[in-house]
Amino acid sequence: MNLRLKLFTAFLALIIIPLFVLGIVTFLVTYYSIEEKYSQQAEYSLKAISYSITNVFNEMNNVTDNGIATAVFEMALSAKDPENQDLTDADQLNLNANQRNFRTLLYNHPAISYAFLYNFKGKGQSSIVSIFTKENFKTLPFDEFKKHPLYEQVMKLNGLPKWLAPHEYPELTGSEPVFTQIRLVKELSYFRNVGILVVQVKNWEFEKIFRNLKLSSNMQDTRFLLVNDEGLILYDHTGKLDSETIQSHMNHSVMFKSGYQSFRGKFDGQESIISVYHLKEYPWSLVSVASWHSLSQEIRVIAVWFIVITSICLLAAILFNLIFMNRITGYIGVIVRFMRKVEDGDLHVRVETKGNDELHLLAEGFNNLMDKMNQLFRQVKCEQDQKNKAELRVLQAQIKPHFLFNTLESINALAVQNEGKKVSQMVYRLASILRISIQGNEEITIIQELEHLNSYLEIQKFRFEDLFDYEIDIHKELYNHMILKLTLQPLVENSIQHGFEGIPYRGKIRITGYAESDRILLRIEDNGIGMSSEQLKVFQYMVSEEHEKANQERRGLGIRSVADRLRIHYGERYGLFICSHSGEGTIIQIVIPKYEWGGSRET
C-alpha cells in the first residue's frame, strides 16, 4: 500500500468513519428515544385533560348540588304533584318564583343544553318536568326509564351524580354529542325520594380544553379520544370518529385498565404512538394518537443534515487527497524513485526543488546528501587508487629481487661449471627479461608477456635440462590483448621450483589461453606433486601475514603476489583460480578482462 492510499485510509478510518458511526449511533439513540419522550409528554397531557374534565363535571355537580340544597328541584316537582293542585294564590306565586329561580340557576351556565325532572308521583306525561325545551328530542317516558338498567344504578347511588358520555345511551340522551348527568332528588325534610334530575351539558368546555392544549404544546398533530371500557369512541375532538369502536382502527388490542399505558402500533394504517390514561372516577379512558411520521420528522431532518455534512466531509477528504496528498505523496514518490536510482548505482541524480515548504527542504537535503556522497566517493576512490598503486609497487618490488636471485644463482652455477656458451645465452635471456621488467608500464601485450616467459623457461631449461618440458599454446588473436606484466612467470616458476620437487618422472608444463565472451582465460597446468587443501589456504586473497609467514618464501610470495596484483588491478571479478590435489598436479587459471592496446577495460 503506497503512502497516498495509507493517508487517505487513515483519514477515512480516523475521521470520516468515526464521524459516521457517531452520527448513526446518535440518530438511533434519538430515534428510539422519541417514543419514550413522547410517552412521558402524552402522560402529562392526558392527566391534565383528565383534571380539566373532572373540574367541568365537578362544577356541574356543584350546580345541581346547589339546586338540591335550595329545594329548587323539589319545588319544581311539587308544581306537578297531583296532590298539591289545590294551592292557594300565595303558594302558587311562591312555586312560580321557585321555578324561575331554578331556570335562572341553569341559565347562568350556558354549557347546559337541556334539563328535565322525572317525578316519582306523576303518571304518563305528568311525570316529566321540563326545564328547557329541545327540538327534535323526545324524552324517554318515566315508565320505560324505570325498566332501564341505568335506573337501578341511579337509585343505588342514592343522590350521587351519574355521568353518561355521548353515544353510550342514545335512547336516553339523544344523538347529540352531549354529556348527561343523572341523579336522584330527595325531599330535604324527610329525605324521601321525589324525582330524578337529568341535565345535559354541551361539549363546549371539552372543546376548549383540547383547543387550549393544542395551542400551548407541541402536540398539534395529535388526535385525542374519549373511549369507554368497551372501546366505544365517545368523543373525538376532530369529530370524525364519534360513535365508532377504536378497535376497528387499530391492529393492537387494548385493555382499558386503571393507570397509564403507551405503545407503538398502527392507527388507521399509519404508524403511531398510542397512549391511554384511564380516568379515576369514571369508566372512561383518554386516548392520544400521534403519527410516528410527524414525531420523527425532526430527527429525519437531522439525519438529512447529517448525511449532507458527512458527504461534504467525504468530498473534502477526496479533494484534500487529490490536491494536497497527491502533491506531498507525489513529491515523496519522486524522491523514492531517485533513491532507487541511487541504489542501482546512479549517483548523479538530482531532485528538482520548488516551493519553500518542507518538501523543498527534503529535496534540497537529498541533493546535498548526494553531493556529499559523490564527494566522499571521489575521495575514497582517489585514496583507494593511491593505495592500490602503492600495493602494486610493493608487490613488484617483491617479485623482481626474487626472480633475479634465482636467475643469478643459476648463472653462477653454470659459470662454476665452465659452461660459457650457456652463460652467454642465459645472460641474453636475462637481459631480455630485465628489459620487460624495468618498463614503466604496468600492463604489456600478451605477446610481450610470452616472450618474457619464454626467456625465463629457457633459462630454467639450462639449469634443469632433464627436469621438465614445456608447451605454450595460445591463439594468435590474443597476442595484442593486454595483461599485467610478470603474471605468467611467477606461476611457472612455482611449478618448477615446488611442483616438480622430488618427482621420479619428467615434469611437464603446459600454458594455454583462449577468449570467452569479454574475458581471457590463461591456464598453466603441471603434472607435479600438487598441493593439499591446507597449502591451498595460503593463497587466499589478501591473507594476513600471520597466516602466510611460515611458507611465505616457499609457496606464498609468487602465487599470492600475482593473485593480489590481479585482484587489485582488475577488480573482484578477475584473478587466480587454483585446482590441485596431492600427487595429481596443479592447474592455475588466470582470468583477465579482454581488451587490446589503447582500448578500455570493464572493471
Side-chain angles (χ1 to χ4, degrees):
M1 184 182 293
N2 57 33
L3 181 60
R4 182 186 296 108
L5 188 57
K6 286 182 179 179
L7 291 174
F8 185 70
T9 303
F11 189 85
L12 289 178
L14 300 179
I15 298 179
I16 300 300
I17 293 179
L19 179 64
F20 183 77
V21 172
L22 178 62
I24 292 296
V25 172
T26 304
F27 173 78
L28 293 177
V29 171
T30 307
Y31 188 81
Y32 287 106
S33 66
I34 290 177
E35 181 177 353
E36 180 180 358
K37 291 182 179 180
Y38 177 79
S39 176
Q40 295 175 353
Q41 183 179 1
E43 181 179 5
Y44 299 145
S45 300
L46 294 180
K47 286 182 178 179
I49 295 174
S50 171
Y51 179 77
S52 299
I53 291 175
T54 303
N55 286 339
V56 172
F57 290 157
N58 289 337
E59 183 179 359
M60 189 54 58
N61 290 339
N62 292 334
V63 171
T64 55
D65 286 343
N66 188 28
I68 294 175
T70 57
V72 170
F73 301 133
E74 180 183 353
M75 292 181 183
L77 291 172
S78 299
K80 294 293 184 178
D81 190 349
E83 298 179 0
N84 294 328
Q85 294 299 319
D86 298 329
L87 297 176
T88 62
D89 294 337
D91 292 335
Q92 188 65 43
L93 291 173
N94 188 29
L95 178 60
N96 293 335
N98 288 335
Q99 290 178 341
R100 286 196 299 272
N101 292 335
F102 176 52
R103 288 188 175 90
T104 302
L105 176 66
L106 297 181
Y107 273 121
N108 288 334
H109 294 80
I112 298 177
S113 65
Y114 183 59
F116 66 92
L117 293 164
Y118 283 117
N119 191 348
F120 285 171
K121 295 181 179 181
K123 294 182 180 179
Q125 291 296 325
S126 64
S127 63
I128 299 175
V129 180
S130 298
I131 309 300
F132 296 115
T133 60
K134 190 174 184 180
E135 296 181 0
N136 301 323
F137 177 71
K138 184 178 181 180
T139 305
L140 184 69
F142 183 57
D143 293 337
E144 295 182 15
F145 175 65
K146 288 193 293 185
K147 300 176 183 178
H148 201 281
L150 279 174
Y151 179 78
E152 294 296 330
Q153 296 179 23
V154 171
M155 297 303 292
K156 287 181 180 180
L157 289 175
N158 196 27
L160 294 176
K162 168 72 175 179
W163 282 95
L164 306 180
H167 313 296
E168 282 188 311
Y169 302 99
E171 68 278 7
L172 179 64
T173 62
S175 58
E176 292 186 8
V178 292
F179 288 86
T180 304
Q181 182 195 84
I182 304 177
R183 66 185 306 174
L184 183 65
V185 179
K186 291 180 175 290
E187 186 268 326
L188 296 179
S189 300
Y190 301 100
F191 290 98
R192 291 180 299 173
N193 299 332
V194 295
I196 294 177
L197 172 66
V198 179
V199 178
Q200 292 185 344
V201 180
K202 300 176 182 178
N203 60 2
W204 293 349
E205 296 294 331
F206 300 98
E207 291 177 352
K208 185 189 302 182
I209 292 172
F210 291 110
R211 183 169 59 252
N212 293 337
L213 180 67
K214 291 173 66 62
L215 292 175
S216 61
S217 68
N218 57 353
M219 305 181 72
Q220 288 81 2
D221 296 326
T222 304
R223 168 177 283 177
F224 294 96
L225 308 173
L226 183 66
V227 183
N228 65 9
D229 292 346
E230 285 73 33
L232 179 66
I233 299 176
L234 307 175
Y235 176 77
D236 178 9
H237 83 285
T238 64
K240 297 179 180 179
L241 303 181
D242 289 346
S243 73
E244 298 183 21
T245 58
I246 194 171
Q247 297 294 350
S248 62
H249 297 272
M250 296 172 54
N251 65 341
H252 190 284
S253 59
V254 182
M255 294 294 295
F256 295 99
K257 55 186 179 180
S258 61
Y260 175 77
Q261 56 182 314
S262 181
F263 54 90
R264 187 170 167 181
K266 287 191 175 182
F267 192 91
D268 284 341
Q270 187 177 13
E271 192 74 16
S272 305
I273 294 181
I274 302 170
S275 302
V276 181
Y277 180 73
H278 196 278
L279 276 66
K280 293 182 179 180
E281 300 177 2
Y282 305 96
W284 306 324
S285 296
L286 284 170
V287 179
S288 68
V289 180
S291 170
W292 180 255
H293 178 80
S294 176
L295 292 175
S296 60
Q297 183 175 2
E298 183 177 352
I299 193 64
R300 288 199 304 274
V301 172
I302 295 175
V304 171
W305 274 106
F306 170 74
I307 293 173
V308 171
I309 293 173
T310 304
S311 301
I312 292 174
C313 292
L314 183 60
L315 179 61
I318 295 174
L319 292 176
F320 179 79
N321 183 67
L322 293 176
I323 297 174
F324 296 101
M325 286 295 102
N326 279 354
R327 178 177 178 271
I328 295 173
T329 56
Y331 211 75
I332 294 175
V334 170
I335 295 177
V336 169
R337 288 196 298 271
F338 277 75
M339 291 177 66
R340 287 175 179 169
K341 289 183 179 180
V342 174
E343 290 178 358
D344 295 335
D346 186 0
L347 302 180
H348 300 287
V349 294
R350 294 294 184 274
V351 179
E352 180 183 358
T353 58
K354 53 185 177 180
N356 56 358
D357 54 5
E358 287 77 4
L359 295 177
H360 170 77
L361 296 178
L362 180 62
E364 197 173 57
F366 176 81
N367 293 337
N368 292 336
L369 178 63
M370 294 308 304
D371 291 338
K372 290 181 179 180
M373 286 180 61
N374 281 319
Q375 182 180 353
L376 290 174
F377 275 127
R378 287 193 297 269
Q379 181 179 347
V380 171
K381 187 174 184 298
C382 181
E383 292 175 354
Q384 188 65 37
D385 290 341
Q386 293 176 355
K387 179 181 178 181
N388 291 343
K389 290 178 180 178
E391 290 177 351
L392 284 173
R393 286 194 293 270
V394 170
L395 292 173
Q396 291 174 359
Q398 290 175 337
I399 292 172
K400 291 174 184 177
H402 177 74
F403 172 69
L404 288 174
F405 174 78
N406 291 334
T407 303
L408 292 174
E409 187 181 60
S410 298
I411 294 173
N412 181 56
L414 290 174
V416 171
Q417 296 174 8
N418 293 320
E419 295 285 344
K421 186 177 180 180
K422 290 184 179 182
V423 170
S424 176
Q425 291 178 351
M426 289 189 68
V427 170
Y428 174 78
R429 298 289 184 183
L430 179 60
S432 176
I433 291 173
L434 290 177
R435 278 196 302 271
I436 296 175
S437 300
I438 65 177
Q439 287 182 5
N441 298 330
E442 294 181 359
E443 290 182 307
I444 59 176
T445 60
I446 290 179
I447 187 62
Q448 290 176 318
E449 180 69 11
L450 291 177
E451 290 177 0
H452 178 275
L453 177 62
N454 191 61
S455 297
Y456 170 78
L457 287 171
E458 288 298 325
I459 291 175
Q460 295 296 67
K461 285 289 289 182
F462 282 121
R463 293 180 60 199
F464 312 106
E465 183 176 358
D466 298 327
L467 181 62
F468 71 93
D469 293 325
Y470 70 91
E471 177 186 355
I472 299 176
D473 182 15
I474 295 178
H475 297 296
K476 291 183 179 181
E477 60 266 19
L478 301 180
Y479 283 174
N480 290 328
H481 291 77
M482 306 303 292
I483 188 172
L484 196 64
K485 69 180 179 180
L486 297 179
T487 297
L488 298 175
Q489 179 267 327
L491 303 180
V492 172
E493 179 183 358
N494 186 78
S495 295
I496 296 172
Q497 297 249 340
H498 305 296
F500 298 152
E501 183 179 4
I503 61 174
Y505 51 87
R506 191 176 184 85
K508 186 175 182 180
I509 299 174
R510 188 168 185 267
I511 300 98
T512 58
Y514 59 93
E516 183 183 86
S517 184
D518 59 345
R519 303 182 302 170
I520 293 177
L521 281 66
L522 301 174
R523 182 174 295 177
I524 300 173
E525 303 177 47
D526 68 62
N527 60 347
I529 61 175
M531 290 181 286
S532 65
S533 57
E534 290 76 12
Q535 291 172 321
L536 286 173
K537 291 179 182 179
V538 177
F539 305 113
Q540 295 179 15
Y541 174 58
M542 300 299 287
V543 73
S544 62
E545 292 185 4
E546 288 77 6
H547 291 85
E548 63 168 330
K549 61 182 180 180
N551 295 316
Q552 188 177 40
E553 185 60 30
R554 279 184 60 83
R555 293 187 180 273
L557 184 59
I559 298 178
R560 276 205 58 251
S561 296
V562 174
D564 292 348
R565 289 172 63 218
L566 291 174
R567 292 286 179 91
I568 292 173
H569 190 76
Y570 294 121
E572 293 295 325
R573 293 179 56 194
Y574 308 99
L576 293 184
F577 301 91
I578 303 174
C579 180
S580 181
H581 194 273
S582 296
E584 297 182 4
T586 301
I587 300 175
I588 300 176
Q589 182 166 282
I590 305 165
V591 181
I592 60 175
K594 178 184 177 183
Y595 65 97
E596 297 185 358
W597 173 261
S600 61
R601 62 184 173 88
E602 180 181 352
T603 59

